[in-house]
Amino acid sequence: MARYANVPQTNAKVKKPKIFVLDTNIILHDYRAIRKFQDNDVFIPVAVIEELDKFKKGNDALSFNARGFMRDLDKLTEGKLFGKYGIPIGKNCGCIKIEPNHPFPPELADLFRDDTQDHRILATAIWVRDNYPDRFVALVTKDINLRIKAKASGMEAQDYLTDRVDENRVENTRKEVQYLDKVPDEVIQTLNYGQDNSIGWESVTGREPAANALFVLNGELAARYDADRKVISLVRSRQAYGIRPRNLEQKMALDACLNPKIPLVSLTGGAGTGKTLIALAAALEQERDFDQIILSRPAVTLGNQDIGFLPGDQKSKMSPFLQPLMDNLNVIKAQFRPSSKEALHLEAMVREDKLLITPLAYIRGRSLGKVFFIIDEAQNLTPHEIKTIITRAGEGTKIVFTGDIFQIDQPYLDQWSNGLTHLGEKMAGEKLFEHVFLRKGERSELSELASKLL
């Protein structure tokens, strides 16, 4: 059964539909959210409609979701009035009702003095609760502060749980590499020196692994399960454009990025683990197989400032966001002499846009055919944005998402609901997908020490 919010259990034989009052950020996160509450009713405060109006123009995901919701709502209400009970949303769904703004009840009038949209939404939710005493009513919002304010005023408040991944599943994504000790010497010998460096999975584990499952055998040998051949294969030591893996997890990550049979890869881990560098090196190593290499990342600003606040032209505005990607490119260039053919080839690729570094917002609407596409900081994307990117992949395209799900800069995403976590949970076990969690920092000894102790 799909989840939408935490609902207390009741022993009543006849259960009336529950009422969920949605905050603006739920719709901006998932414009089809009103269809995710099963047969329960959804109330939308007028303050939410007012806020959505501010997002109707623009090319980013928030604007797309705002427009998508308003079009859907307009279609539902064509030739109809909301009335007392709202309008049916559709089959197996409840009703939707736009609720006018209401003031706080007298006993709460002095609790929140500022007249803000959040407070209007909360006041309306409290009014709905008080006027439907025989039904369960909850405010659903991804805004932690608003949830705390709601609870302080005695109002039930919930996060949006439909695309939230279970906490134990998030932990499992950090343990996907299986460490097997006491593997027989003859198995190790076959993997190391056998004709095709592979062995039947029965010789290694008692149960058939999921596709592209990763193993570390006896603490020193990296291996991957090939579901097509039903064998566990050795992950060989390889280098890509001068970059060599420094640990077993980096070796497995590079192998995934170089494997033409795996068009979708997810690399997660903390700062300095080499995620983006490995993906870029693998892309450059295979550049003859692709028409273009694209490095991109969402332009997440601090303090909610748009890039329009930054001085200069478009290139100058985007430079701070793209500099980390340029840093990785410079690390690779530093492996070669400035006059070497490899360094000159890199400069030519950048000059001719064969290697393109661009903000994610600027590729919206493109069809990505025969492209090696690297999306950095993917933990700041919603599940819908991740899906949008993947569904644009054409023939011959490879997509690598990199990020750290514990370093999220978007206010309404967390380690359970961001797109990168959602991707790993939904795609796990698919032959076309591989995920590697890199745990050891390789940037420097100082960086590793700071990650552990600070």
Side-chain angles (χ1 to χ4, degrees):
M1 180 182 293
R3 299 185 305 159
Y4 35 87
N6 292 320
V7 181
Q9 297 296 318
T10 176
N11 294 323
K13 292 183 179 180
V14 179
K15 298 179 181 179
K16 293 188 176 182
K18 306 168 187 71
I19 298 175
F20 294 97
V21 182
L22 302 193
D23 190 9
T24 313
N25 50 63
I26 301 300
I27 294 164
L28 294 176
H29 179 78
D30 179 5
Y31 78 95
R32 295 184 61 84
I34 61 172
R35 301 178 185 276
K36 307 290 178 62
F37 290 84
Q38 298 180 358
D39 58 350
N40 299 294
D41 295 338
V42 174
F43 280 42
I44 309 291
V46 165
V48 169
I49 303 299
E50 292 173 346
E51 285 196 303
L52 290 175
D53 190 56
K54 301 174 183 177
F55 289 93
K56 65 185 180 183
K57 296 180 180 179
N59 296 318
D60 59 5
L62 299 182
S63 300
F64 172 85
N65 286 340
R67 291 192 298 267
F69 172 77
M70 296 310 296
R71 282 194 295 265
D72 192 16
L73 186 61
D74 183 55
K75 186 176 180 180
L76 287 174
T77 58
E78 189 174 1
K80 303 174 185 176
L81 297 176
F82 285 105
K84 182 178 180 180
Y85 300 104
I87 293 172
I89 298 172
K91 186 178 180 180
N92 299 323
C93 295
C95 293
I96 184 170
K97 187 175 187 292
I98 304 298
E99 187 62 43
N101 292 332
H102 297 282
F104 283 107
E107 64 272 17
L108 297 176
D110 294 329
L111 186 60
F112 304 111
R113 297 183 180 276
D114 294 335
D115 182 21
T116 65
Q117 294 290 57
D118 278 357
H119 293 165
R120 293 178 185 179
I121 292 169
L122 176 56
T124 300
I126 293 173
W127 184 92
V128 172
R129 179 200 64 189
D130 293 345
N131 281 267
Y132 294 85
D134 58 340
R135 297 171 67 178
F136 173 83
V137 179
L139 172 64
V140 183
T141 176
K142 299 192 75 64
D143 187 334
I144 296 175
N145 288 342
L146 183 54
R147 290 205 298 269
I148 293 173
K149 289 179 180 179
K151 294 172 183 177
S153 61
M155 178 70 207
E156 181 75 24
Q158 302 288 348
D159 193 0
Y160 181 59
L161 301 180
T162 298
D163 56 7
R164 185 181 173 93
V165 176
D166 288 337
E167 190 166 350
N168 62 346
R169 179 60 189 154
V170 174
E171 281 301 311
N172 287 341
T173 63
R174 307 176 71 187
K175 305 173 184 176
E176 284 182 344
V177 177
Q178 299 180 48
Y179 290 80
L180 302 180
D181 297 323
K182 300 180 181 178
V183 178
D185 290 341
E186 55 267 26
V187 172
I188 302 297
Q189 289 291 323
T190 301
L191 286 172
N192 268 323
Y193 307 111
Q195 185 173 2
D196 60 354
N197 299 105
S198 63
I199 194 170
W201 62 265
E202 299 90 346
S203 301
V204 178
T205 181
R207 184 169 61 177
E208 183 176 2
N212 300 318
L214 299 170
F215 299 89
V216 173
L217 308 179
N218 293 350
E220 59 183 19
L221 205 65
R224 180 183 67 86
Y225 179 60
D226 186 335
D228 289 328
R229 300 167 55 211
K230 294 190 179 298
V231 297
I232 290 179
S233 300
L234 177 71
V235 174
R236 299 180 179 87
S237 294
R238 308 166 74 177
Q239 71 166 359
Y241 225 81
I243 299 299
R244 295 178 180 272
R246 295 186 177 182
N247 56 55
L248 289 176
E249 288 156 352
Q250 286 191 354
K251 183 191 291 187
M252 291 185 282
L254 183 59
D255 178 75
C257 292
L258 291 172
N259 192 333
K261 294 182 179 180
I262 304 177
L264 181 61
V265 176
S266 168
L267 305 181
T268 61
T273 52
K275 306 178 296 294
T276 309
L277 181 63
I278 287 172
L280 177 57
L284 293 172
E285 184 70 19
Q286 304 170 89
E287 57 100 1
R288 290 185 178 85
D289 300 329
F290 299 94
D291 292 339
Q292 193 175 39
I293 297 170
I294 301 178
L295 284 83
S296 191
R297 63 190 332 224
V300 179
T301 56
L302 297 178
N304 294 322
Q305 286 193 339
D306 189 82
I307 62 172
F309 285 91
L310 298 174
D313 57 16
Q314 175 178 300
K315 184 175 181 181
S316 300
K317 288 174 186 288
M318 298 317 303
S319 180
F321 302 106
L322 304 181
Q323 190 57 48
L325 301 178
M326 292 298 302
D327 291 342
N328 281 281
L329 182 60
N330 290 333
V331 169
I332 292 176
K333 288 176 67 175
Q335 308 300 310
F336 309 101
R337 297 191 311 276
S339 59
S340 67
K341 64 177 183 179
E342 291 88 355
L344 295 175
H345 184 54
L346 276 177
E347 293 175 2
M349 289 176 66
V350 173
R351 188 168 57 250
E352 298 166 6
D353 280 346
K354 175 72 184 279
L355 173 59
L356 181 64
I357 301 178
T358 182
L360 194 57
Y362 293 169
I363 65 159
R364 177 175 292 277
R366 286 191 56 179
S367 180
L368 304 172
K370 214 171 182 183
V371 169
F372 196 113
F373 191 19
I374 302 169
I375 301 95
D376 193 29
E377 303 290 346
Q379 76 276 4
N380 289 316
L381 298 174
T382 67
H384 177 75
E385 289 172 320
I386 292 276
K387 179 180 178 180
T388 300
I389 292 168
I390 297 174
T391 53
R392 295 194 184 281
E395 286 296 324
T397 286
K398 181 155 188 158
I399 301 179
V400 180
F401 291 96
T402 70
D404 180 3
I405 63 172
F406 299 99
Q407 295 291 329
I408 294 175
D409 301 313
Q410 291 284 20
Y412 302 131
L413 294 178
D414 55 30
Q415 61 262 43
W416 303 286
S417 63
N418 70 88
L420 195 55
T421 296
H422 196 72
L423 173 68
E425 197 269 341
K426 294 296 183 183
M427 287 287 189
E430 296 293 330
K431 294 181 181 179
L432 302 182
F433 173 75
E434 184 171 338
H435 169 258
V436 184
F437 174 69
L438 297 96
R439 63 185 70 240
K440 185 179 179 183
E442 295 288 356
R443 185 170 288 166
S444 67
E445 187 177 354
L446 176 60
S447 175
E448 175 72 0
L449 181 64
S451 296
K452 289 181 178 179
L453 300 183
L454 299 182

